[in-house]
Every structure is written in C-alpha cells, then in structure tokens.
Amino acid sequence: MTSNADLQKLLTWLSPAFPVGAFAWSAGLETAIVTGTVQNRATTQAWIEGVLGHGGLRTDAILLAHAHRAAKDPAALRDLADLCLALTPARERHDETTITGAAFASAAKAWPTPVLAHLPDPSPYPIAVGAIAAGHAIALDAALLAYLTAATHSQVSVAVRLVPIGQSDGLAIMAALEPAIASLATLCQHAALDDIGAVAYAADIAQMAHETLTTRIFRS
C-alpha cells in the first residue's frame, strides 16, 4: 500500500520541476511533428498510445520493474543498465536516458538511501527510478504508475508546444490515456525480460532521423 510519504516523494521526483531536464527531450516526437505524422489531437494521442503499448515506454517500464526488484544487487542493476542501453535505437535516445538518469540519481541524493551506491555508471533513467524507489520501500505499482504518467505528460507537453495543440486538447489526451497507462503499469509489474520486444518502428525511425533535422528545439 502506498503511504502519503511515498506519494509525496513520487510527486516530487517525477514532477516536471524535478531537475532531470526531461523537458528538453522529445524521444523522436519532434521529428513526427515536423514530418506531419503528428499534427492534431487525434494523431498525438495515437502516437503516444503506440509508444506506450509497443515502444520505448513499455520497454522502460519493464526494466524499471526489474531494477526495483534488483535494487540491492549491484551486478544485476549493471546488467539491466547494459540491456537498457543496448535497446536504445538511436544515439540521441542513448543520451536522453543516460543524462536524465544521472540527473535523477544526483538530485535524489537529497533523499539518502544505500541503493544510490549500487547504481551503475551510467545509470539509465528507468533503472535509476526503479532502484531508488525500491530503496525507499515505495511500492512497485505506484512507482510504475507515476513513471508512466509523467512520461506520457512529457510527450503531451511536446505536442502542446510544437503541433501546437491547446492545453484543453493536451488534458483530454491525458484523460483518455489513463486506462492505457494503468493497464501497462499492471502488466509491467509481472513482465519478464523476455517480454521486451518493441515494435514501434515509426517511433524508432523518428528518433534516428531527429539528428538530421535542420532546426531542432528538443535534444532527441
């Protein structure tokens, strides 16, 4: 059961104001907007739903769950980090997860836990979040739900700024995706590493193509 103290930590750690720099990355969504694949509320929702169900967010959530369980095992965390990095489809995506992961671990030192010393270097973002949440005995289901909600909000924020869609459309997307987020959080609690298998090819290609955009606002 998630306590008020646990909820308070998750709200702080996964807030847009927490200094991990997540606002600077789009995970390829900027490319999809520039090419016209994402151009309104409906296509924004479809893109994010695809990444949730079949792409990087699903992969990250499974890895987060395993990092949560392996928080006291530095060797296992190192193996999970290696797997996470091996699964990144583009250089910018590699930078995104390692830079935000390092920033998260650094900022989280304000909440001391022995698990911080177990983190590998580099520590991808979902590995850092999962392990540190476990270090504070925060329930896995709560950590997954908070992580996926924050990641979805970050993607919606990119579309609000770049498509642009209005704040009302952005909120409508968040509301519509709540069941998908909750369902994925439940699934990933029990998923094996063998269940990882991203098939969101358009999102992967968009992340690769981002490097060559003439004008870029986001770093990925």
Side-chain angles (χ1 to χ4, degrees), residues 46-172:
W47 180 273
I48 299 172
E49 195 161 16
V51 175
L52 272 170
H54 308 288
L57 289 182
R58 180 179 183 276
T59 297
D60 283 356
I62 293 173
L63 289 166
L64 186 156
H66 282 265
H68 189 279
R69 288 190 283 270
K72 296 181 180 180
D73 187 340
L77 288 176
R78 185 168 57 251
D79 288 345
L80 288 169
D82 288 345
L83 176 59
C84 183
L85 296 179
L87 293 170
T88 55
R91 179 184 61 81
E92 289 181 353
R93 178 63 173 149
H94 180 284
D95 291 346
E96 177 179 350
T97 195
T98 54
I99 291 172
T100 55
F104 182 85
S106 178
K109 289 178 181 177
W111 293 264
T113 167
V115 168
L116 288 165
H118 299 166
L119 293 177
D121 183 21
S123 183
Y125 190 38
I127 306 303
V129 173
I132 292 170
H136 290 277
I138 294 174
L140 176 57
D141 58 345
L144 281 167
L145 188 62
Y147 180 88
L148 289 169
T149 299
T152 301
H153 183 274
S154 182
Q155 287 278 280
V156 170
S157 179
V158 172
V160 168
R161 285 179 277 173
L162 283 192
V163 172
I165 58 175
Q167 292 285 352
S168 295
D169 278 347
L171 292 172

